[in-house]
Amino acid sequence: MTGFTVSTIAGQRLDEIYVYTRDIWGEAQAETYVRELFGCFDRIAHRDQVWRAVPAEFGVDGFYCRHAHHYIYWRQFADGTVGIVTILHERMHQMDHFREDSAS
């Protein structure tokens, strides 16, 4: 099965990204950026996106890739579906936030 799901936390992060982008650059840019993120999710699900495994020393099972100024963290389920765990800005302390978001 090819597809993706967006966790509750990742959905909240998308809302935050949309609001911030809209407030700074306008609604059209916010809509474009969020659409681009969903395009990236689709490329991940179809294995058309370059990604890396989260290093084992962090004790978190998953993968990540970059889109513009954000990192997208995801896991693969047994049926092949991708679960988008969280989306973090490049300035955030990545592993602390990933651990918090993946525990939810």
Side-chain angles (χ1 to χ4, degrees):
M1 172 183 236
T2 302
F4 64 85
T5 61
V6 177
S7 73
T8 301
I9 294 292
Q12 291 170 354
R13 299 277 187 211
L14 283 166
D15 290 345
E16 293 166 2
I17 291 165
Y18 179 87
V19 169
Y20 177 82
T21 305
R22 182 198 64 207
D23 291 351
I24 301 299
W25 291 287
E27 191 167 337
Q29 180 60 35
E31 289 177 9
T32 297
Y33 193 71
V34 170
R35 271 195 303 274
E36 289 174 358
L37 286 167
F38 274 89
C40 189
F41 303 163
D42 193 55
R43 288 190 304 278
I44 291 168
H46 287 92
R47 309 308 186 258
D48 291 333
Q49 177 72 36
V50 176
W51 71 80
R52 294 182 150 196
V54 174
E57 60 264 23
F58 291 110
V60 178
D61 182 35
F63 305 90
Y64 70 98
C65 67
R66 185 175 179 141
H67 175 75
H69 296 286
H70 288 88
Y71 288 93
I72 300 165
Y73 290 87
W74 59 278
R75 292 184 174 145
Q76 185 171 349
F77 298 119
D79 67 356
T81 303
V82 166
I84 305 299
V85 175
T86 194
I87 305 138
L88 301 176
H89 192 272
E90 64 191 0
R91 293 184 187 163
M92 297 175 98
H93 193 275
Q94 301 293 315
M95 284 293 82
D96 287 346
H97 283 286
F98 181 61
R99 282 189 190 106
E100 290 168 13
D101 289 357
S102 65
S104 298

